[in-house]
Amino acid sequence: MELPGLAFAVWMFICFYASMHSYPSGKVREACTSMIPCHGSSPRLSPEHTIAVNGTEFKPGDNIEVLLSGPDFEGFFIQARDAEHLDSPAVGSFMLADRRLSQLLTCGRTKNSAVSHTSKAKKKNIKVYWIAPGDAPRRVQFLATVVKKYKIFWVKIPGPIISQPNALSPTTPLHATSVALSTSHLVSYLSKPFDASHCGSMKFCIRNPSNCDPESTSCFFLSFQQEKSSVFIEMSGPSEGYLAFALSHDQWMGGDDAYLCVNEDHHVHVSAAYLKGRSPPVLDSENPLEDVSWRLVDGVLQCSFRRNTRLPSYKARFNLDASYYIFLADGEASEGGLIHKHRRQPLITNGRYNVTGLPQDIGGSRSPRLIKAHGVLMFVAWITTVSIGVIVARFFKPVWSHSFLFGKEMWFQIHRMLMLTTVMLTSISFVLPFIYRGGWSQQAGFHPYLGCTVMALTIFQPLMAGFRPSRHAPRRPLFNWFHWSTGTTARILAVVTMFLGMDLPALDLPDPWDTYTMIGFVAWHVGIDVLLEIHSYCLIRKVEVIEDDRVQILQSLTSAEAEGRLFKQIMLTIYVCGNTVFLIAFLVAISQT
């Protein structure tokens, strides 16, 4: 009984001594058999790195390209072994592709039978060539140990199996490494991004942004490909937590068939679930998914799986040969695989689609149409009609005082028309979120409260204008003050409300672009207003000087008025064009959500 204890103590001493020195140079012959680095910690269970080869068969003397790739890593150790006896010595020899990153080692009696790193420099992939020996076993499997950091490493990551022509076909695909789970499902580790080249021809695809490349770190991708009685599904996107999609009979969460890919400590769990209202998803006790694969690289989560088109024994699973709205969501996941509510609106298709029908390549929207319409109408009302109407009333009374439109002064008619348009647009826009939500939203912060205040002031303003005293009535100054203060308060609150609304998940405008653009509009409006105020002040001073001089008063006044009229008309034209540019920028941004 003491001998095993002594052996264990010796082994611990060796590992401790080795860990004191580490292996930054890659000279790791001591680990030839176990492939375990003596780093004083346990290896991780779920690999982040993959091994790929360029062939499925080999003959003695053939050169097989071997590629180890994945997130940045410092060290590695690669061997080829008999696939039927993985504890046997290394098989064959290697040839290097880059001597700066890799070096050859001799394990056992076979020269150059392993490859390791040359330094701790970070690397994303390593390419080497394996030379098949004359006495090679019928089937050979590649294994790799990868060290991400000193205490973060994976041991004997299983790679593809290649065989001699007269041997049985390898069970592991070339593009993935595999590991068997306790559920008896086979989970594979993908080695490359998904391919969108067959979208619309062989695959039904959903992409956001539209037509984006799944290789991009900003692309959300979901594809369905029918294969006889099953559907192969691929999903990827930038997420450190989870990705999920759901099939729904409507555009509301609840009563939906959902599928989740959840990152838990760099291991992705793929499962089916059922959504009940806005509650957390209820996972299936039995997993109906097959051929599960996943990958985590550079913040992009990928997963794929196969599901039968019909699953009569699973009551919560929808038949895939019917039409549904499709949701695509992402969010954060905490320890234990617990997912949190998505922080932004899920991507939702604009209509129902049959994923097993005619292949299509479509986009989707993270902003519902009613919310988009709400935003568009508010932008039109408070960026264009109100702003122009205020400028006209404030600075164009003397310019258009002698011009009439439908029996009234032109400035007043234009002002009234623009303000009534604002009331109409704001009223229509106001009811749209209530129609979409079916009531009051508890998750929109101060936006709905300020919006209701703006709506009340918008209605109160024209009602107050209807009881306007005559021009020379004693109460006219009081009315003018109330009219100005109510309108100014409504405009300020409207701008604040729009600032808050642009950051809500339902609209999903690009941040911080939306905030900067809104700040630009406010600065533009204030700048034009100040410029016109300065011009008006200078014009008044000029007229006062002319009157004091009592020289050519009539001609000078006429000249000053003409000069003021021309300047203001030019400034109004510039202001309208500028507001139109801001409005178009917002409309383009909304159309892309």
Side-chain angles (χ1 to χ4, degrees), residues 27 50 84 93 107 123 203 219 254 275 279 312 344 350 373 377 419 459 485 544 556 576 593:
K27 303 291 186 180
T50 59
E84 306 297 336
S93 58
C107 285
K123 32 206 160 280
K203 297 179 179 179
C219 180
L275 299 180
S279 303
R344 60 174 175 168
N350 294 322
L377 293 177
M419 291 308 175
I459 296 296
S485 60
E544 289 176 351
S556 298
V576 171
T593 59

Side-chain angles (χ1 to χ4, degrees), residues 427-498:
S427 300
I428 296 172
S429 176
F430 178 76
V431 300
L432 295 182
F434 291 98
I435 295 174
Y436 172 72
R437 293 290 183 187
W440 186 266
S441 174
Q442 301 292 340
Q443 302 170 343
F446 290 104
H447 179 78
Y449 297 99
L450 292 176
C452 289
T453 305
V454 171
M455 186 71 249
L457 294 174
T458 303
I459 296 296
F460 178 69
Q461 186 77 330
L463 291 177
M464 181 171 55
F467 296 95
R468 167 175 84 256
S470 61
R471 183 170 298 178
H472 301 292
R475 291 178 297 175
R476 184 58 181 255
L478 184 63
F479 164 81
N480 289 341
W481 187 89
F482 271 110
H483 188 63
W484 174 85
S485 60
T486 303
T488 302
T489 302
R491 290 171 62 206
I492 293 173
L493 289 179
V495 170
V496 173
T497 306
M498 285 192 288

Side-chain angles (χ1 to χ4, degrees), residues 13-333:
F13 172 79
I14 293 173
C15 280
F16 176 77
Y17 180 80
S19 65
M20 293 286 288
H21 293 78
S22 188
Y23 297 111
S25 65
K27 303 291 186 180
V28 291
R29 292 189 182 90
E30 292 84 351
C32 275
T33 302
S34 67
M35 298 186 71
I36 300 175
C38 289
H39 286 188
S41 60
S42 301
R44 299 295 178 96
L45 298 179
S46 303
E48 296 180 357
H49 304 78
T50 59
I51 308 171
V53 296
N54 67 342
T56 59
E57 295 184 350
F58 71 92
K59 297 188 297 293
D62 284 353
N63 288 352
I64 302 296
E65 180 183 295
V66 182
L67 179 66
L68 173 64
S69 60
D72 286 348
F73 56 96
E74 296 179 353
F76 66 92
F77 190 46
I78 302 174
Q79 287 186 4
R81 294 189 179 183
D82 186 343
E84 306 297 336
H85 304 90
L86 291 180
D87 292 331
S88 60
V91 173
S93 58
F94 286 91
M95 184 170 58
L96 303 179
D98 189 343
R99 294 183 178 275
R100 295 171 301 174
L101 300 177
S102 55
Q103 62 181 332
L104 299 172
L105 298 177
T106 298
C107 285
R109 298 180 180 180
T110 307
K111 187 177 181 181
N112 301 335
S113 55
V115 185
S116 72
H117 53 282
T118 57
S119 70
K120 292 177 60 177
K122 293 187 180 299
K123 32 206 160 280
K124 287 185 179 293
N125 55 73
I126 291 292
K127 182 191 293 185
V128 295
Y129 298 93
W130 180 73
I131 304 172
D135 58 348
R138 293 162 59 98
R139 300 172 67 225
V140 172
Q141 183 170 21
F142 295 93
L143 304 175
T145 290
V146 176
V147 178
K148 185 175 182 178
K149 294 181 180 179
Y150 184 77
K151 291 195 174 184
I152 301 178
F153 57 90
W154 296 263
V155 174
K156 290 186 178 179
I157 298 174
I161 297 175
I162 60 175
S163 59
Q164 298 194 50
N166 58 347
L168 296 175
S169 300
T171 59
T172 305
L174 291 178
H175 63 278
T177 59
S178 303
V179 59
L181 299 181
S182 59
T183 59
S184 76
H185 290 286
L186 192 68
V187 176
S188 302
Y189 305 97
L190 299 163
S191 63
K192 59 183 179 180
F194 296 132
D195 183 13
S197 61
H198 296 298
C199 287
S201 58
M202 297 175 63
K203 297 179 179 179
F204 183 100
C205 297
I206 301 171
R207 294 192 264 179
N208 180 249
S210 297
N211 299 317
C212 65
D213 189 341
E215 294 189 22
S216 168
T217 56
S218 60
C219 180
F220 288 91
F221 177 78
L222 177 64
S223 74
F224 303 84
Q225 184 172 2
Q226 188 173 17
E227 299 175 353
K228 295 182 180 180
S229 61
S230 66
V231 176
F232 187 69
I233 300 169
E234 299 172 325
M235 179 166 55
S236 69
S239 177
E240 297 287 352
Y242 72 90
L243 287 176
F245 81 89
L247 306 176
S248 178
H249 295 291
D250 52 39
Q251 291 185 301
W252 297 95
M253 288 182 64
D256 305 327
D257 181 9
Y259 301 85
L260 298 88
C261 300
V262 184
N263 175 18
E264 182 184 353
D265 193 23
H266 301 291
H267 182 90
V268 177
H269 297 278
V270 182
S271 57
Y274 181 73
L275 299 180
K276 291 185 176 181
R278 295 181 177 272
S279 303
V282 179
L283 299 181
D284 262 357
S285 57
E286 296 183 19
N287 198 345
L289 310 180
E290 302 174 350
D291 297 340
V292 175
S293 302
W294 61 268
R295 182 176 185 244
L296 272 172
V297 177
D298 297 332
V300 176
L301 191 157
Q302 291 177 248
C303 62
S304 63
F305 54 88
R306 188 183 312 280
R307 208 215 84 168
N308 287 338
T309 305
R310 291 175 174 267
L311 291 169
S313 58
Y314 294 85
K315 295 182 179 180
R317 305 277 72 83
F318 294 176
N319 294 332
L320 297 183
D321 52 3
S323 296
Y324 307 99
Y325 288 100
I326 304 172
F327 290 61
L328 180 59
D330 65 289
E332 295 181 350

